[in-house]
Amino acid sequence: MGKVIVVTSGKGGVGKTTSTAALGAALAQNGAKVVVVDFDVGLRNLDLVMGAERRVVYDLVNVIQGEAKLTQALIRDKRVETLFLLPASQTRDKDNLTPEGVEKVITALKSAFDWVICDSPAGIERGATLAMRHADMAIVVTNPEVSSVRDSDRIIGLLDSKTLRAENGETIEKHLLLTRYDSARAERGDMLKVDDVLEILSIPLLGIIPESTDVLRASNVGSPVTLADGRSAPAIAYFEAARRLKGEALPIVIPGDKRGLFGKIFGRRAA
Amino acid sequence: MNLLRMFTRQQSGAAARERLQVLLAHDRASTGDSELVTKLRDEILRAISKHMEVDAEKVSVKLERGIPVSTLFVDVEIPHDAERKAA
């Protein structure tokens, strides 16, 4: 039986889709059978980030409404053969997602895959609550910035009340993924510190993804960053986060902390 | 570049942390009772009206959130002839 993960945040634009693609690919690159599911009905983007936008025929809504079989809607990645995508519908809206339909799809995926990673839409409405509904584990994607942290706090509250596990009195594992971490800004003291965010949200840290043009470059060419350039800083951070998801205890290095004296003098950008 | 400004400028990360701590303490506690200030205002107005005539528009109730305590500001404008009218 596979594990169901929801990648969520409340706020939009913090890196949910990027992280879903990168973590999904990282897990699959190590041999696990992974499916990434786009729950952002009406505004799908995971297909684009995965580079599969021209191969979408059927989607999650088609499967839920019985217009297509699950196997017809799943798209196998061309680079990693254990990686699959279940796209969202672009033309319909979230009302086409029913709790029963979502449950059926997730149950079927769980029995066929090691990891089912659900990319939640932004917000706290139906789409987001359905994406988290069946999760065993949640990845809360947060930027070190006030509005993102506040929204994450709200989402953590929902995870503890609106998920199936919460309703059954079980706990849902929550992990913080701090994305778009800018070490130059951190060094100047103009960004929330990692410890600040951890103290405020009080959930364990899964990883810190540095702000990087590599992420943008990867999405431009339609490739999860772990596949586009496996040796780039964000890719390494995602690979490590994926290993922590599997239960490995890897120490977390705060980006920029390794920088020596030379880097401190010359690496600092003028404000 | 303004060197003085560079050295005297306060770090904004700390300000972000403090604001968030205050805000979230209240977000977490007060979900469900966003009507609190409105209710308080109505009841305060009713209590005052028993003793003097006041204009409802001139009663302001504000809650300023802080840690460890919040402050409730009640500002009531009483006209000079209020007591006489009520009596």
Side-chain angles (χ1 to χ4, degrees):
Chain A
M1 206 58 138
K3 264 205 165 164
V4 182
I5 302 180
V6 61
V7 179
T8 186
S9 70
K11 190 173 185 298
V14 295
K16 282 182 297 296
T17 302
T18 302
S19 299
T20 303
L23 288 171
L27 287 165
Q29 280 167 277
N30 287 320
K33 246 191 130 186
V34 181
V35 59
V36 288
V37 186
D38 194 346
F39 268 85
D40 206 346
V41 175
L43 290 170
R44 75 168 177 224
N45 276 321
L46 188 55
D47 55 332
L48 257 183
V49 174
M50 298 285 292
E53 70 278 9
R54 295 199 297 177
R55 299 167 62 206
V56 176
V57 182
Y58 295 112
D59 56 57
L60 179 60
V61 170
N62 291 138
V63 176
I64 284 178
Q65 304 208 325
E67 296 153 355
K69 286 195 185 134
L70 186 55
T71 46
Q72 292 177 298
L74 286 171
I75 301 169
R76 184 195 286 264
D77 191 87
K78 286 195 165 165
R79 299 148 296 204
V80 186
E81 65 169 25
T82 54
L83 179 60
F84 288 78
L85 162 72
L86 180 56
S89 168
Q90 180 69 346
T91 48
R92 316 223 198 151
D93 63 40
K94 292 182 189 61
D95 296 339
N96 289 291
L97 291 180
T98 60
E100 302 77 28
V102 169
E103 184 176 358
K104 243 191 203 166
V105 171
I106 297 288
T107 308
L109 290 174
K110 251 171 103 164
S111 62
F113 290 91
D114 300 319
W115 299 93
V116 180
I117 309 182
C118 305
D119 184 19
S120 171
I124 52 171
E125 314 295 321
R126 188 186 175 84
T129 48
L130 279 176
M132 69 170 65
R133 183 92 189 131
H134 302 275
D136 299 307
M137 203 191 245
I139 297 175
V140 180
V141 182
T142 307
N143 292 165
E145 174 265 324
V146 285
S147 52
S148 173
V149 175
R150 183 191 204 179
D151 292 358
S152 292
D153 189 73
R154 190 76 201 281
I155 279 291
I156 290 169
L158 289 183
L159 286 165
D160 287 332
S161 60
K162 292 281 169 73
T163 53
L164 215 57
R165 274 181 165 262
E167 285 176 6
N168 292 336
E170 296 167 295
T171 51
I172 174 160
E173 234 181 275
K174 299 174 290 282
H175 297 276
L176 180 72
L177 188 65
L178 203 58
T179 54
R180 311 194 66 167
Y181 186 88
D182 186 335
S183 53
R185 265 204 309 140
E187 213 171 288
R188 290 199 304 266
D190 280 335
M191 194 172 65
L192 280 165
K193 293 199 183 86
V194 175
D195 286 343
D196 292 344
V197 181
L198 285 176
E199 192 197 318
I200 290 168
L201 296 178
S202 56
I203 58 172
L205 186 61
L206 183 69
I208 304 168
I209 314 299
E211 169 87 69
S212 165
T213 51
D214 293 312
V215 172
L216 200 63
R217 212 173 298 139
S219 77
N220 281 344
V221 298
S223 172
V225 69
T226 50
L227 278 172
D229 182 359
R231 282 161 60 189
S232 64
I236 290 168
Y238 277 120
F239 276 122
E240 290 183 354
R243 286 169 63 189
R244 289 189 198 101
L245 268 183
K246 291 193 288 186
E248 271 186 63
L250 289 175
I252 296 179
V253 179
I254 297 174
D257 272 12
K258 282 182 299 189
R259 219 193 277 183
L261 183 65
F262 185 86
K264 278 190 175 143
I265 296 169
F266 297 100
R268 191 175 297 183
R269 264 178 285 157
Chain B
M1 188 195 296
N2 188 340
L3 275 178
L4 184 72
R5 192 172 161 267
M6 201 176 105
F7 286 110
T8 55
R9 200 171 53 113
Q10 276 209 324
Q11 297 189 332
S12 64
R17 185 188 64 180
E18 277 159 39
R19 289 179 56 221
L20 266 172
Q21 280 171 333
V22 175
L23 177 67
L24 290 182
H26 287 275
D27 273 2
R28 288 166 187 162
S30 67
T31 31
D33 206 3
S34 54
E35 302 279 284
L36 180 67
V37 176
T38 319
K39 279 187 217 156
L40 280 173
R41 186 181 175 280
D42 289 347
E43 283 176 35
I44 289 168
L45 183 62
R46 228 175 296 141
I48 295 173
S49 302
K50 279 188 210 159
H51 306 284
M52 55 185 75
E53 192 174 290
V54 285
D55 184 350
E57 299 289 308
K58 301 282 167 66
V59 178
S60 109
V61 176
K62 281 181 209 155
L63 186 64
E64 198 169 301
R65 297 172 166 123
I67 280 180
V69 292
S70 299
T71 315
L72 185 71
F73 292 96
V74 182
D75 190 352
V76 185
E77 202 174 292
I78 302 168
H80 284 305
D81 55 352
E83 275 175 84
R84 236 181 299 137
K85 271 187 190 165

